[in-house]
Amino acid sequence: MTQSDLQDLLLTTAPFDQLSLDEVQQLIAGSTILDLETGSVILEVGDHVTSVVFLLEGQIEVSSATGKVFGRLSRAETFGFKATRGKARASYRAAAVAPSKILRIPKPALDAIWAAHPDFDAKVPAFGPERFMKALDDPATPGEGQAQSTSSFQSTPSGGMDLMTMTVRDLMTTKPITVPPDTTILDAAKQMRSRNISCLPIVDGGALVGILTDGDLRDRVLAEGAAIDQPVKNVMTPKPITLPPDALAFDALVTMMHKNISHLPITDKDELSGIVTHTNLVRAQSRSAVYMIGEIHRLSDARSMAEVVSQIPTLLVSLVDAGTSAHKTGHIITSIADAATIRLLRLAEDKLGPPPVPYLWLACGSQGRQEQTGVSDQDNCLFLDDAYDAEAHGAYFEALAKDVCDGLDRCGYVYCPGDMMATNPKWRQPLHVWRGYFQSWIQTPQPMAQMLASVMFDLRPIYGQTGLFENVQTETLEMARKNSIFTAHMVMNSMKHTPPLGLFGQLTTTKTDDGRHAVDMKHSGVVPIVDIARVYALSAGITAVNTHRRLEAGREASVLSQDGARSLLAAFEFIAMTRLRHQAEQIRSGNKPDNFLVPVEISPLERTQLKDTFAVVKTIQQSLANARQMGG
């Protein structure tokens, strides 16, 4: 994992996403990356906790002193904040259950963060969705409704946005089967069997008075040898914990985790409205990025992966509804494409055998920049070690590229219209050829070279030997930065996409295939800012490819003024967010999302804001062109 990758991961993961790039860099500088073998113990019960652990790769299992497993942590999850801050001893054991890589953040590195952000880790949830599922798969409670805290470790769920925005009304089972308190245990059990349900709410005069579950039958009837002709009120869990219908689904998850229960009645003014069970939450959570990525990595064919990827529109809507920034939404959506790519590559290796020479699969375009939305094709390429021999190794990498690109297409990431994919032999070459490509594009900046450079300067390693790219990237950026002619051509190339404003500052539209007069929110909206950010990145030798990160880095490198960076960052977020809201609305209406926004379909205020934002971009675009013409 490169320094840039680590920074990106922290900047898009709570609670670190509250920090500036500079703060994250300082945090990393004061921390240590450790590789762990399976079985490596990170914490033992009773150890002084002096650092926070952030998991980069692998899995960490958390268990009690008696061996009870609380759950497992996976990539981008965190634990230890509370204990580190309070100089406490560990009340749990943490050990790697797979080869893992962690970032250990010591207390001294965190003290500066806490001084600047006193509530920095206040919103870190105590339990993530993976531990929820694990705990409910192996319940250890004597009866529903008895409070029992399962653990004291903290962690951060990654991308489980559905539960953060849905209410329990959205996922509960409505009109559950109920029985009165005097129903016999035998009759109640028969109803549960015939209806294939795991619990029965007990209702008296319309009011919920208790609940009977599989656990109650096991522990209070069978294990105790209780008579089955007695009423259920004698063995039910009385006065069970409840939530109202307008509570967040996430509240239900946390409540069920904290109380170690698998069934949660939902009541409105003491009357039963529905019930939330393990199954309800798993179904809702199955649309989260965390769940989707986990599913992708365990599947063995593209057809099954396509079913998971097809849930992205639902995820996109939930992210928009949650008010998630466009910057973070892009990272979350792109993480699913990355997972699909990595899984397909591993499946191809399983099929074809180990690669004959080292290689690196890279993404470009929106996936490379981590800015994917609900509409994405694929752009990718292969860097091969210079030991590559076309006659001996060509068939292997041709087959690998075909398997992966075909699989991505089946998953919904359609083939690139411009054929910029690893299946094209031109984009599947050894390192020395790639060096030649970049050198020729920079030294002879013809229109086609400018276009190719624009795409290939957005490369991001996805899988393989990252060292194949790092030196090439450094050399290329240095070469580009020193070539003023090439930079000038790239500036002019960035003027090809202009904000959609007419002579008098009115929105201009284009006619779509279906006859609508719309604003192209991709090519006329986000692309002009993407192009501007790329120019500044090239002029400063900035390695970041994400537009948001490029603009921030450009400000720090002083190639972009504070005001200019602030304006472009705000403009990029507003335009990208407007585009995402448009796509979310299309998805809600049952339509395929696109990039074409019809101005009359948004409010007058939004139209005014959009015009003002486009005007800012146009002004900065013209200033950049003027500065280059004057040799600035």
Side-chain angles (χ1 to χ4, degrees):
M1 174 175 286
T2 66
Q3 177 86 356
S4 178
D5 290 335
L6 179 54
Q7 289 172 184
D8 282 342
L9 183 59
L10 288 172
L11 284 166
T12 55
T13 303
F16 307 100
D17 57 357
Q18 305 170 57
L19 306 180
S20 68
L21 176 60
D22 184 57
E23 288 173 320
V24 166
Q25 289 173 337
Q26 291 180 22
L27 198 67
I28 293 171
S31 304
T32 306
I33 295 178
L34 298 175
D35 289 302
L36 306 176
E37 297 180 353
T38 301
S40 297
V41 177
I42 302 168
L43 275 179
E44 280 287 8
V45 176
D47 285 352
H48 283 288
V49 183
T50 59
S51 59
V52 166
V53 173
F54 182 78
L55 184 54
L56 303 173
E57 297 174 10
Q59 279 197 332
I60 294 172
E61 187 172 85
V62 181
S63 56
S64 69
T66 61
K68 173 179 170 56
V69 175
F70 294 138
R72 289 185 176 182
L73 300 168
S74 57
R75 175 181 165 86
E77 295 193 303
T78 317
F79 67 93
F81 272 114
K82 184 176 180 180
T84 300
R85 195 167 194 173
K87 300 179 182 179
R89 292 180 181 270
S91 59
Y92 51 87
R93 183 179 192 269
V97 290
S100 302
K101 187 187 293 289
I102 64 171
L103 180 71
R104 188 184 286 277
I105 310 172
K107 188 175 186 299
L110 288 163
D111 284 339
I113 299 299
W114 279 318
H117 308 274
D119 298 326
F120 167 61
D121 53 309
K123 296 183 179 179
V124 177
F127 303 95
E130 291 192 0
R131 279 156 309 292
F132 162 76
M133 294 182 189
K134 175 68 179 176
L136 292 186
D137 283 342
D138 185 21
T141 177
E144 295 292 329
Q146 296 189 12
Q148 180 180 347
S149 178
T150 56
S151 106
S152 60
F153 71 94
Q154 291 182 305
S155 63
T156 304
S158 301
M161 297 306 300
D162 285 353
L163 299 185
M164 297 295 290
T165 60
M166 296 170 64
T167 64
V168 293
R169 182 183 284 107
D170 298 323
L171 56 84
M172 69 183 184
T173 298
T174 58
K175 300 179 181 179
I177 304 303
T178 65
V179 295
D182 57 357
T183 304
T184 66
I185 296 171
L186 177 60
D187 287 342
K190 285 182 177 180
Q191 286 213 45
M192 292 169 68
R193 181 185 66 180
S194 65
R195 298 178 183 277
N196 193 27
I197 54 178
S198 57
C199 71
L200 268 178
I202 313 302
V203 174
D204 187 12
L208 179 74
V209 295
I211 188 170
L212 182 72
T213 71
D214 284 340
D216 293 326
L217 292 173
R218 178 191 64 217
D219 299 330
R220 295 174 177 171
V221 179
L222 294 177
E224 298 296 329
I228 58 175
D229 59 352
Q230 63 178 308
V232 291
K233 65 183 179 182
N234 293 347
V235 295
M236 71 181 185
T237 297
K239 299 180 179 178
I241 296 165
T242 66
L243 283 179
D246 58 355
L248 288 176
F250 184 74
D251 293 336
L253 182 152
V254 172
T255 299
M256 295 169 77
M257 277 296 300
H258 281 190
K259 305 305 181 184
N260 208 5
I261 57 177
S262 303
H263 309 85
L264 183 64
I266 307 303
T267 58
D268 187 5
K269 297 178 181 177
D270 295 328
E271 291 191 3
L272 186 68
S273 299
I275 193 158
V276 173
T277 66
H278 173 207
T279 301
N280 297 128
L281 284 168
V282 168
R283 284 173 181 165
Q285 193 62 24
S286 69
R287 296 192 298 271
S288 76
V290 149
Y291 187 94
M292 292 166 71
I293 291 170
E295 282 292 283
I296 286 169
H297 281 299
R298 75 172 185 82
L299 296 173
S300 57
D301 62 86
R303 186 186 302 275
S304 301
M305 290 164 59
E307 294 179 7
V308 177
V309 176
S310 69
Q311 299 170 27
I312 284 180
T314 304
L315 174 63
L316 177 63
V317 171
S318 70
L319 291 168
V320 171
D321 287 346
T324 309
S325 70
H327 173 54
K328 293 177 184 176
T329 297
H331 276 69
I332 292 169
I333 298 296
T334 304
S335 69
I336 298 168
D338 290 353
T341 304
I342 292 168
R343 185 58 181 154
L344 288 167
L345 282 161
R346 287 174 174 161
L347 290 173
E349 287 183 358
D350 290 343
K351 172 184 172 181
L352 300 170
V357 297
Y359 75 89
L360 177 64
W361 186 281
L362 303 98
C364 45
S366 60
Q367 184 184 358
R369 296 190 306 275
Q370 295 177 294
E371 293 167 4
Q372 288 189 316
T373 66
V375 185
S376 297
D377 58 7
Q378 56 174 293
D379 298 281
N380 46 62
C381 64
L382 266 175
F383 278 28
L384 306 173
D385 189 274
D386 276 335
Y388 171 79
D389 177 86
E391 186 173 342
H393 311 140
Y396 178 95
F397 289 107
E398 180 181 2
L400 180 136
K402 186 176 188 308
D403 278 4
V404 176
C405 290
D406 287 351
L408 288 172
D409 179 71
R410 174 165 285 185
C411 287
Y413 303 103
V414 298
Y415 299 120
C416 173
D419 201 23
M420 300 191 77
M421 300 179 294
T423 47
N424 183 338
K426 183 173 183 178
W427 308 127
R428 188 177 69 244
Q429 292 291 336
L431 206 55
H432 70 273
V433 174
W434 279 104
R435 279 193 165 97
Y437 284 165
F438 283 109
Q439 186 174 359
S440 66
W441 294 336
I442 293 169
Q443 292 180 349
T444 313
Q446 301 299 327
M448 179 56 71
Q450 295 171 38
M451 187 275 290
L452 293 173
S454 294
V455 175
M456 292 302 175
F457 276 125
D458 291 351
L459 286 175
R460 180 172 60 90
I462 301 296
Y463 180 83
Q465 300 293 321
T466 56
L468 292 173
F469 178 63
E470 290 170 356
N471 289 338
V472 174
Q473 184 187 38
T474 302
E475 295 166 7
T476 301
L477 287 173
E478 182 65 13
M479 193 188 314
R481 188 179 66 82
K482 291 180 177 179
N483 192 317
S484 59
I485 296 176
F486 171 75
T487 305
H489 277 278
M490 289 298 290
V491 170
M492 297 310 298
N493 188 63
S494 72
M495 302 295 124
K496 290 183 178 178
H497 297 103
T498 58
L501 292 176
L503 184 61
F504 300 104
Q506 298 301 307
L507 289 175
T508 58
T509 61
T510 56
K511 193 171 183 178
T512 63
D513 292 340
D514 58 3
R516 293 179 296 161
H517 290 275
V519 173
D520 185 340
M521 294 298 291
K522 177 181 178 180
H523 292 101
S524 299
V526 298
V527 168
I529 305 176
V530 169
D531 289 342
I532 292 171
R534 186 186 298 111
V535 169
Y536 282 118
L538 289 174
S539 65
I542 294 167
T543 57
V545 296
N546 175 261
T547 301
H548 187 99
R549 290 283 318 285
R550 278 174 165 169
L551 293 172
E552 283 195 334
R555 173 170 54 189
E556 292 179 4
S558 298
V559 296
L560 189 57
S561 70
Q562 293 290 326
D563 287 343
R566 192 180 300 112
S567 296
L568 282 173
L569 283 166
F572 187 64
E573 178 64 28
F574 180 78
I575 294 169
M577 201 67 237
T578 302
R579 177 193 185 196
L580 288 174
R581 284 195 292 267
H582 163 68
Q583 292 183 355
E585 187 57 40
Q586 289 180 303
I587 293 166
R588 288 192 196 94
S589 301
N591 299 316
K592 186 176 179 179
D594 61 29
N595 294 304
F596 298 103
L597 174 70
V598 178
V600 295
E601 293 179 357
I602 60 176
S603 70
L605 176 60
E606 288 175 303
R607 287 198 297 272
T608 299
Q609 291 175 319
L610 204 54
K611 285 187 290 186
D612 291 344
T613 304
F614 284 142
V616 169
V617 177
K618 190 170 185 177
T619 299
I620 294 176
Q621 201 178 47
Q622 291 171 343
S623 297
L624 177 61
N626 293 337
R628 289 300 173 186
Q629 288 173 0
M630 296 175 66

